[in-house]
Each structure stands twice: as C-alpha cells, then as structure tokens.
C-alpha cells in the first residue's frame, strides 16, 4: 500500500492547514483537467446568427415564441409541393428533438453549423464527427469543454480528476470546520461580554 498524497503534504509541512491542502490539490487537479479539456468552440458570426434568427421567426407560425416539430418540418401544409420544399419531415425532427417545442436558442443550437456555438449561453456543440462537446463547471472553479463520449484513453484521466475533486471537497469541508470553532468562540465571547456589560449596568 502506498502513502496518500495528502499525508506526504503533512509530513513535508507539519503545520499545513486543511485550506492549504485543498489549495495544493486544486493546483494538481488543474494540471489533470488540462488533459481532458478541449478549446472553447467559436461562436457563429453575426451573419449566420441573423440567418438562423430569420429562419426561426419564419417557422414560428403565429409568433408563439417557439417552434414545434411540425413547424420545423414546414407547418401544417400537407400538399405534395409543400412537402417537396421541406428539408425534413415531422418524424425526423421528432427523432432528433423529441416531441417538444423549441425556443429560439434551442432552435439555433439545433441548426447551428458543426463545431460552432450558436450563442454565448450554449452548453453543447455538435462536432463534425457526430460527437458532442459539453460544457462543465468543475470543482476547481474552471469551466471547460469535454467530449460527451470520450475515447477509452481519456476515461482514466476523468476518473483521476473526479477522485482529486472529491478530495478537494473533503479538505474544504475540514477547513470550514476548523474555521468555525474560532469564529463561533469569538461570537460566544462577544455575546457573554455584552451580557456582562448589561448586568453591570443593571446593578
């Protein structure tokens, strides 16, 4: 059995606090996070954004603020000519989006070109190879983009990051519990002092 990393910290620096241990683990974790993160996808340009917004408003029959699968497939027109003009049918749209309505942002994410973010708040991006990038907020405080379906070689790195972050949470809780008694004690002593002053005035 090996020696736990945090035990080594405490051997090397006997007076190290839990807060410092959490900080050192965070530095190590950030280094590991760099191995699984991907560059932040670029935003679509303004011309492409306006084009998608115009398509959405044209498909939003009745200006409801959302599009149904039927709207995306061309509305209720059922003639042969209308169907030929449509790129996709209702069944295909439902297979991709489910049987629900899409607001403007969701519609833009669906229609956005591969490898790009449809808007600033987008939290997932479809890649050209069919995989997806998803945005994650990590315990270390950083926001990163990772593959939804990572390759096998990346899985152990993700487990390591998860394990280190669990340790960070543990040591942060210890740091909070170490800080609480002193602050609580000060509050208690202040309260007792005030009570004593009150008794002195009463007497």
């Amino acid at each position: 059995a090996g020696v736990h990393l945090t035990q080594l910290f405490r051997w090397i620096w006997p007076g190290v606090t839990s807060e410092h241990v959490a900080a050192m683990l965070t530095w190590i974790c950030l280094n590991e996070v760099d191995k699984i993160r991907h560059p932040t996808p670029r935003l679509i340009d303004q011309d492409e954004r306006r084009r998608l917004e115009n398509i959405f408003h044209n498909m939003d029959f009745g200006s409801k603020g959302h599009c149904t699968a039927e709207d995306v497939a061309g509305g209720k027109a059922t003639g042969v000519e209308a169907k030929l003009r449509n790129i996709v049918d209702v069944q295909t749209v439902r297979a991709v989006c489910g049987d629900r309505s899409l607001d403007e942002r969701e519609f833009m994410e669906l229609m956005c070109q591969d490898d790009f973010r449809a808007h600033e708040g987008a939290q997932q991006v479809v890649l050209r190879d069919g995989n997806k990038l998803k945005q994650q907020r990590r315990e270390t405080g950083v926001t990163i983009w990772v593959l939804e379906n990572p390759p096998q070689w990346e899985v152990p790195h993700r487990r390591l990051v998860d394990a280190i972050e669990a340790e960070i949470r543990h040591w942060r809780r210890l740091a909070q519990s170490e800080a609480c008694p002193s602050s609580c004690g000060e509050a208690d002593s202040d309260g007792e002092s005030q009570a004593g002053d009150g008794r002195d005035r009463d007497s």
Side-chain angles (χ1 to χ4, degrees):
V3 178
H4 202 284
L5 180 60
T6 54
Q7 186 63 50
L8 285 176
F9 291 162
R10 300 170 84 181
W11 283 349
I12 298 170
W13 301 286
V16 70
T17 65
S18 297
E19 184 178 359
H20 289 149
V21 172
M24 287 187 281
L25 287 171
T26 299
W27 300 334
I28 294 170
C29 193
L30 286 171
N31 182 65
E32 294 301 323
V33 163
D34 282 341
K35 297 176 183 178
I36 64 172
R37 73 188 306 172
H38 287 252
T40 301
R42 289 187 297 161
L43 279 169
I44 56 174
D45 60 37
Q46 288 299 318
D47 288 340
E48 178 67 9
R49 181 184 178 89
R50 282 192 290 269
R51 187 180 72 84
L52 291 177
E53 288 173 345
N54 288 336
I55 293 173
F56 174 82
H57 293 303
N58 288 333
M59 289 184 171
D60 179 16
F61 300 105
S63 299
K64 306 180 294 296
H66 63 267
C67 286
T68 63
E70 191 175 64
D71 293 333
V72 176
K76 295 183 178 181
T78 57
V80 174
E81 185 178 343
K83 288 182 178 179
L84 289 174
R85 286 200 303 267
N86 296 337
I87 298 174
V88 292
D89 57 28
V90 175
Q91 288 73 26
T92 301
V93 177
R94 284 176 179 159
V96 175
C97 309
D99 193 10
R100 64 186 182 86
S101 298
L102 301 173
D103 62 25
E104 186 171 348
R105 285 194 162 197
E106 291 175 315
F107 176 85
M108 290 176 66
E109 289 177 21
L110 176 67
M111 296 298 183
C112 179
Q113 65 189 99
D114 294 345
D115 297 336
F116 283 81
R117 286 181 294 150
H119 53 83
E120 284 284 359
Q123 295 184 341
Q124 68 174 22
V125 167
V126 177
L127 303 177
R128 291 180 185 176
D129 63 5
N131 206 340
K132 288 182 182 179
L133 283 178
K134 286 187 171 275
Q135 192 182 72
Q136 286 185 350
R137 178 74 174 174
R138 304 301 304 194
E139 190 71 33
T140 51
V142 297
T143 299
I144 63 172
W145 289 84
V146 297
L147 287 171
E148 182 179 56
N149 299 305
Q152 281 299 115
W153 65 264
E154 190 178 299
V155 174
H157 287 296
R158 292 201 182 194
R159 290 175 181 163
L160 178 59
V161 170
D162 291 341
I164 298 173
E165 287 187 332
E167 282 292 307
I168 292 171
R169 287 192 294 271
H170 169 71
W171 286 96
R172 283 177 178 171
R173 285 195 297 268
L174 285 179
Q176 289 174 352
S177 64
E178 288 170 359
C180 183
S182 59
S183 60
C184 291
E186 290 173 3
D188 291 343
S189 62
D190 290 344
E192 290 174 2
S193 175
Q194 292 173 4
D197 291 344
R199 287 193 295 271
D200 292 341
R201 286 195 296 270
D202 291 342
S203 60

